[in-house]
Amino acid sequence: MQRFGLLWLIPVALALEITAVEAFGLEPIQQGIVVLADLFGLHYNSFLIWLGTSLLGLTSGVVGAFAVLKKRSLVGDAVAHAALPGLAIAFMLIGERNFIGMLTGAAISGILGSLAISWLIRHTRIKSDAAIGIVLSVLFGLGIALSRIIQDDPTGQQAGLDAFLLGKTAGMISQDLLTIALVAANVLVMVALLYKEFKLIGFDPDFAAVLGWPVLVLDGLLMALLVFTTVIGLPAVGVVLIAAMLIIPGVSARFWTDKLHVLVPLAGFFGLLTGFVGTYASAQFADLPAGAVIVLSGSAVFMISMLVAPRRGLIARSLLELTTRLRIARQNLLRTLFEAAEENENIDIPITPSVLLKLRSWSPRQLQVLSWWGRLLGEVESHPTGWRLTEAGRRHAAQIVRAHRLWEVYLVEQASIASDHVHRDADEIEHVLTPEILKDLEQKLQAAGRWPATAPSSVHPLTEGEHA
Amino acid sequence: MDTVLGFDAIGFWIIATGILVNVSGALLGNYLVLRRMSLLGDAISHAVLPGLAIAFVVAQSRHPIPMLIGAALAGLATVLLTELIRRFARVAEDAAIGVVFTSLFALGVILISRVASQVDLDPGCVLYGILESAALDTISLAGLEIPRMTLTLAIATVIIIAFVGLFWKELKIVSFDPNLATTLGLPTTLIHYLLMAMVAGFTVVAFEAVGSILVVAMLVVPSATAYLLTDRMHWMVLLSVVVGISSAVLGRESALMLDTSVAGMMAVAAGAHFVLAVLFGPHYGVVARTLFQLRVKLRIQREDIMALVYRWQERGSGSAMPRNAIVEAMSGRTGHTLALNMLTWRGLMQRAADGFSLSDEGRKEAGKLIRGHRLWESFLAKHSPLPDDHLHSPADRMEHFINDKLLQDVAQAVDHPDTDPHGQPILSNGKG
């Protein structure tokens, strides 16, 4: 609780930083870049751009991870558009292209835009999608109208508002880098210090409020981080594409982990990677717009994550689905063979395909594949007239049949479901019943005095065509 | 200067084109707003860019038909990709939209910069639109010089009106209750994709006029404004069209005054309409809601004072209640002076030298309130686990919202008792 009293230190620290930068000027930064560029054997300008986009990617990845978590992915997009009128007004007031002044204007109108969105969602019947769309398009319209007024002004050509629309990565200068570095450092430090708080208001703001935390202040701070990151990204990649820098790393990182403390740094890393690789790629294709190339590198990171991430990735998930399906189909084959043999009262009589096809909704082709799979596993053996279970297959089949029938009995006895309705349910659950559950079922039925002395027989007579 | 219907030609065509964009956008936007898919409109309008570039490369011309097909396909691809990523990769919808449209937009920017040297399809035009120069590129039709852009938009508007008219019922059901629509056997998915194709088509004919980002303003803002003003579908459609037309006219006029972008000012004008609706909407407006809350607050205040005086007179053999006592009992609540004045003005209470007393009519009203209060206490005592000393405050809140029907039902439910749980008398109906 006490520590929230320290939140007022944030503006003080910012003021100190800005004073320090004013005092030392750009010289140390420029010299630092020269030294580092020499170290890597790179050209001064390309190194500067490289550093700038990577830092921007890192910051927007980290901030974007929280935005994605709070289902606010597109608020960043709206903020970017909403920043335009602020830029224009700042230019009108200052009368020249002052970088800090214009960024301040953009940040103010960005914050106002994001406040308008939250206000509309909370206090009117407008839903979040329309609120975002309205704020984004109306403020952008205002921005276009204002910038047109400026451009008609003779000095207006210097405003460079066009650069904010599509971004001019190659035009990055040491002052831009300084701003990006400053904002990045502040954002990262704040996220590190308030990680626990941001985490809780991301997952359960109501609980945070119950704890007495200043949820609105913290949420506002998170929004402010988003706005500042967006605004410093505008000159580099432009209005539309900064949204991508915010969303894509967070969404991509989500495929790889369920833990926020992994997700946030990973998103930062993906952002960094995007900026790094994108700048490299755009240096190879000099005639392509760099902002777009950077975003497409991000899309590549997203696609790779979506495909190959373990567990949540598409490949891993479809493999899991496939193996589960195969397992279930195989178990169904075993049980059907077992029950058909039960009917014959002789386990050695092979079951013909026509009987199996009547009992199950398989196509002949599916049956062929399944029986091949069963033979491969040594659970089914073929016979001139059909198939029968091997010793191993019998044992496995008995287990499945037992699970199936236990569940049927349980449903009839305990859940009072009519006996002609239980088969379907049991059919679905038999494949996922663990030995513990089965044991538990047995005990429950025993306790209720319903446990048959021998293995349970089916609650309904086995007849042909019971399976749809 | 050329004139059309008495206007100067350039101005006329700009306004006509603006109206067409706004009206057709509003017609489609209603369904986007109702179905909470406004951002899909935003996404589509950005993502048509690669479609345009590819169509240009394939057709080797700026002919509108291949452009339209390319854009519509790109729009549908956006919807499909978003849906696929959402469903199969389990990404939240807004994030999926964000990933898809920014990626497609980036692709479009790159493709256009590759072909830009061969064609004047510059990114500036894509972003801002060229509504101002609509009248420069004309086609001669029936002896009239009609701008090509206006003609395309007019055709699009007719198609959209036909679409909305033909599928009125279907679109309505799908928007309000998609499950019902599916149960009724309506082709919900088909209607969804038809709507999306319409949005994509609209985007492509509109973006030339207003730019790909302001298309969103035309789609969402008039419809959202109408949504704040009414609960009826046909009114919403009508109002959205009116707001659209009004935004087009006002936008053009203000742009003329300020010498700036017409499309931008149209979006601003639409935004102004929206702000007005947020503030002054008849039912959902901020002012209307605040007034309503104030009225209810005042009514509750008046009723509390009447009940207070009633109880005072019940206890103190009918003497008037001093003002001080009333003020003290209403401690911490503002507005009791206004409430007292209203009560005396309406003849429900009389002001005497020693304080306030209820008139005959006031006593009747207050009796009803007290009866409701005490019956509710009896009801709670019988049907809720609350202890007897906790019954007063819920009844205190409830007494203001008990109508005659509920009063009867409650009395029935507690068998018309003579006293409440605290032993206070409950007067039977009409005796109050």
Side-chain angles (χ1 to χ4, degrees):
Chain A
M1 275 304 294
Q2 287 291 318
R3 47 207 299 244
F4 294 119
L6 299 176
L7 284 178
W8 63 268
L9 280 177
I10 293 171
V12 176
L14 286 179
L16 279 177
E17 279 169 34
I18 290 172
T19 325
V21 171
E22 295 277 313
F24 291 110
L26 287 170
E27 278 299 305
I29 300 282
Q30 280 165 344
Q31 275 163 10
I33 295 171
V34 170
V35 171
L36 282 173
D38 275 351
L39 201 67
F40 289 101
L42 283 167
H43 190 263
Y44 173 83
N45 266 339
S46 30
F47 184 72
L48 188 142
I49 292 166
W50 215 318
L51 211 58
T53 49
S54 302
L55 268 180
L56 182 66
L58 171 69
T59 320
S60 52
V62 168
V63 173
F66 286 102
V68 170
L69 176 70
K70 293 211 74 170
K71 302 252 181 315
R72 264 191 206 148
S73 309
L74 292 170
V75 175
D77 188 30
V79 165
H81 287 81
L84 193 64
L87 277 177
I89 290 172
F91 181 80
M92 284 169 151
L93 291 180
I94 302 169
E96 54 165 16
R97 187 168 189 260
N98 176 309
F99 196 73
I100 300 287
M102 287 175 75
L103 285 190
T104 312
I108 289 173
S109 71
I111 285 173
L112 288 180
S114 73
L115 286 179
I117 292 173
S118 338
W119 188 86
L120 283 175
I121 295 172
R122 191 170 300 185
H123 294 287
T124 70
R125 67 194 307 222
I126 296 295
K127 311 294 181 304
S128 66
D129 63 315
I132 292 176
I134 290 164
V135 168
L136 179 154
S137 60
V138 171
L139 287 183
F140 188 75
L142 182 66
I144 285 188
L146 288 174
S147 63
R148 186 69 60 86
I149 293 175
I150 294 172
Q151 273 159 8
D152 289 344
D153 192 67
T155 58
Q157 300 303 326
Q158 307 159 9
L161 289 172
D162 276 348
F164 283 91
L165 289 176
L166 285 173
K168 275 217 168 24
T169 318
M172 205 183 275
I173 53 171
S174 53
Q175 193 184 22
D176 299 341
L177 178 65
L178 180 65
T179 319
I180 291 176
L182 262 184
V183 172
N186 281 301
V187 166
L188 295 180
V189 167
M190 255 185 252
V191 168
L193 287 180
L194 292 169
Y195 171 75
K196 194 179 76 187
E197 284 73 18
F198 288 160
K199 181 177 175 177
L200 190 57
I201 63 165
F203 284 112
D204 198 343
D206 295 335
F207 182 54
V210 170
L211 288 180
W213 289 8
V215 175
L216 273 181
V217 174
L218 290 169
D219 205 31
L221 197 61
L222 205 51
M223 275 311 279
L225 297 187
L226 182 73
V227 170
F228 276 103
T229 311
T230 309
V231 166
I232 56 159
L234 283 179
V237 291
V239 165
V240 181
L241 298 179
I242 184 64
M245 300 288 286
L246 287 165
I247 302 170
I248 292 178
V251 180
S252 309
R254 185 68 186 88
F255 285 111
W256 298 87
T257 177
D258 289 330
K259 300 253 179 276
L260 191 68
H261 64 262
V262 182
L263 181 103
V264 172
L266 192 62
F269 171 71
F270 280 161
L272 187 106
L273 195 70
T274 302
F276 191 81
V277 174
T279 312
Y280 178 78
S282 70
Q284 303 302 304
F285 308 98
D287 53 336
L288 294 183
V293 175
I294 293 175
V295 169
L296 279 190
S297 333
S299 315
V301 171
F302 171 79
M303 273 189 276
I304 293 169
S305 302
M306 181 171 75
L307 287 178
V308 306
R311 276 196 345 98
R312 292 178 66 99
L314 278 185
I315 292 176
R317 282 239 321 282
S318 22
L319 269 182
L320 179 70
E321 202 167 296
L322 193 72
T323 50
T324 310
R325 266 193 204 185
L326 261 179
R327 186 169 60 84
I328 288 176
R330 170 181 142 216
Q331 293 183 346
N332 280 337
L333 176 71
L334 290 181
R335 185 164 62 81
T336 316
L337 283 171
F338 190 91
E339 286 183 344
E342 231 176 7
E343 191 91 322
N344 293 337
E345 296 182 350
N346 184 352
I347 199 99
D348 292 323
I349 299 176
I351 313 297
T352 59
S354 62
V355 171
L356 286 175
L357 288 177
K358 220 180 271 176
L359 286 173
R360 279 276 161 188
S361 57
W362 288 319
S363 68
R365 175 117 195 94
Q366 280 172 316
L367 183 60
Q368 228 165 14
V369 174
L370 275 177
S371 64
W372 170 82
W373 178 241
R375 263 174 298 161
L376 201 73
L377 291 168
E379 293 182 332
V380 174
E381 55 191 9
S382 66
H383 196 269
T385 54
W387 298 285
R388 63 183 178 204
L389 294 165
T390 64
E391 190 51 42
R394 263 174 234 178
R395 247 179 288 127
H396 193 177
Q399 280 169 10
I400 300 157
V401 170
R402 178 161 166 272
H404 180 89
R405 292 188 185 165
L406 264 176
W407 192 254
E408 278 186 345
V409 174
Y410 178 75
L411 286 181
V412 171
E413 303 286 334
Q414 305 288 318
S416 44
I417 294 173
S419 61
D420 53 344
H421 276 62
V422 294
H423 180 81
R424 257 308 138 135
D425 291 339
D427 213 24
E428 277 158 18
I429 202 127
E430 66 189 41
H431 310 287
V432 292
L433 288 174
T434 61
E436 292 82 38
I437 297 178
L438 285 176
K439 199 149 183 216
D440 197 39
L441 278 177
E442 249 178 48
Q443 279 169 356
K444 280 213 174 93
L445 291 169
Q446 259 167 358
R450 301 285 201 172
W451 179 245
T454 56
S457 56
S458 192
V459 291
H460 34 222
L462 289 160
T463 49
E464 284 185 2
E466 60 169 307
H467 304 271
Chain B
M1 185 183 274
D2 281 351
T3 57
V4 181
L5 304 175
F7 295 92
D8 73 287
I10 293 176
F12 174 82
W13 288 122
I14 289 179
I15 288 189
T17 315
I19 286 177
L20 287 172
V21 174
N22 273 292
V23 167
S24 45
L27 284 173
L28 292 173
N30 287 319
Y31 300 104
L32 293 182
V33 169
L34 284 174
R35 302 185 64 189
R36 304 183 185 185
M37 295 191 317
S38 317
L39 293 173
L40 220 45
D42 181 25
I44 290 176
S45 69
H46 284 84
V48 296
L49 216 54
L52 291 178
I54 292 171
F56 173 78
V57 172
V58 172
Q60 286 298 324
S61 79
R62 272 187 71 191
H63 194 271
I65 301 292
M67 290 284 189
L68 205 64
I69 294 172
L73 288 180
L76 285 180
T78 316
V79 181
L80 265 176
L81 281 176
T82 309
E83 183 64 21
L84 285 178
I85 290 182
R86 195 177 67 80
R87 186 172 298 171
F88 290 108
R90 303 195 184 165
V91 171
E93 189 176 14
D94 60 334
I97 290 178
V99 171
V100 170
F101 93 82
T102 52
S103 301
L104 286 177
F105 187 80
L107 189 67
V109 168
I110 288 179
L111 286 177
I112 283 192
S113 80
R114 296 298 283 178
V115 298
S117 47
Q118 310 157 40
V119 64
D120 76 282
L121 194 70
D122 68 309
C125 151
V126 172
L127 284 169
Y128 303 116
I130 43 166
L131 189 52
E132 286 86 346
S133 42
L136 298 183
D137 180 8
T138 59
I139 290 173
S140 188
L141 195 79
L144 198 65
E145 288 287 308
I146 296 181
R148 193 184 45 76
M149 190 195 289
T150 317
L151 191 65
T152 332
L153 270 165
I155 295 169
T157 310
V158 169
I159 294 175
I160 289 169
I161 290 174
F163 171 71
V164 171
L166 276 178
F167 294 101
W168 175 262
K169 201 176 63 192
E170 286 79 1
L171 282 168
K172 192 165 152 182
I173 299 178
V174 168
S175 302
F176 286 101
D177 196 342
N179 293 333
L180 177 66
T182 313
T183 323
L184 288 174
L186 291 176
T188 320
T189 319
L190 180 72
I191 293 174
H192 174 69
Y193 279 103
L194 260 179
L195 180 65
M196 289 302 121
M198 286 284 161
V199 172
F202 162 73
T203 305
V204 96
V205 292
F207 95 98
E208 198 182 0
V210 296
S212 67
I213 297 170
L214 292 182
V215 165
V216 185
M218 312 311 168
L219 274 173
V220 180
V221 185
S223 311
T225 309
Y227 182 61
L228 287 173
L229 298 176
T230 175
D231 285 330
R232 317 282 316 174
M233 188 68 208
H234 51 272
W235 278 112
M236 181 171 167
V237 171
L238 201 68
L239 282 170
S240 68
V241 168
V242 171
V243 173
I245 293 174
S246 162
S247 309
V249 176
L250 289 177
R252 146 84 178 160
E253 292 307 316
S254 52
L256 213 56
M257 254 185 315
L258 297 169
D259 186 22
T260 181
S261 152
V262 176
M265 286 316 286
M266 280 182 182
V268 174
H273 284 89
F274 177 74
V275 170
L276 287 180
V278 165
L279 292 179
F280 304 112
H283 204 78
Y284 300 104
V286 172
V287 173
R289 274 215 329 267
T290 316
L291 279 180
F292 176 75
Q293 278 166 2
L294 219 65
R295 273 219 314 275
V296 172
K297 214 175 138 187
L298 257 179
R299 180 170 68 81
I300 290 177
Q301 187 95 291
R302 286 199 309 270
E303 291 180 354
D304 281 347
I305 291 177
M306 287 203 296
L308 193 70
V309 177
Y310 184 93
R311 288 201 180 88
W312 173 277
Q313 292 186 321
E314 200 178 43
R315 280 196 301 271
S317 63
S319 67
M321 187 169 181
R323 191 190 167 90
N324 296 351
I326 294 178
V327 172
E328 197 180 330
M330 303 295 291
S331 67
R333 288 163 71 177
T334 50
H336 43 254
T337 314
L338 182 60
L340 270 175
N341 286 340
M342 282 177 91
L343 284 169
T344 43
W345 184 67
R346 287 187 186 179
L348 293 169
M349 273 170 83
Q350 288 140 3
R351 193 195 301 258
D354 53 345
F356 291 86
S357 63
L358 289 166
S359 70
D360 286 345
E361 203 187 335
R363 196 165 301 118
K364 212 165 136 192
E365 288 262 314
K368 219 162 113 187
L369 281 168
I370 297 285
R371 183 176 142 78
H373 178 98
R374 291 178 180 167
L375 275 175
W376 191 253
E377 280 185 343
S378 312
F379 179 77
L380 287 182
K382 196 171 168 189
H383 293 284
S384 89
L386 283 175
D388 281 359
D389 56 343
H390 277 60
L391 299 177
H392 180 78
S393 70
D396 215 30
R397 280 199 297 275
M398 191 62 194
E399 67 186 31
H400 308 288
F401 305 102
I402 300 179
N403 59 19
D404 291 344
K405 172 79 173 66
L406 184 59
L407 202 63
Q408 260 176 31
D409 290 351
V410 173
Q412 192 85 41
V414 291
D415 293 332
H416 303 279
D418 294 328
T419 55
D420 72 2
H422 311 299
Q424 307 271 31
I426 297 176
L427 302 168
S428 64
N429 217 356
K431 258 208 239 167

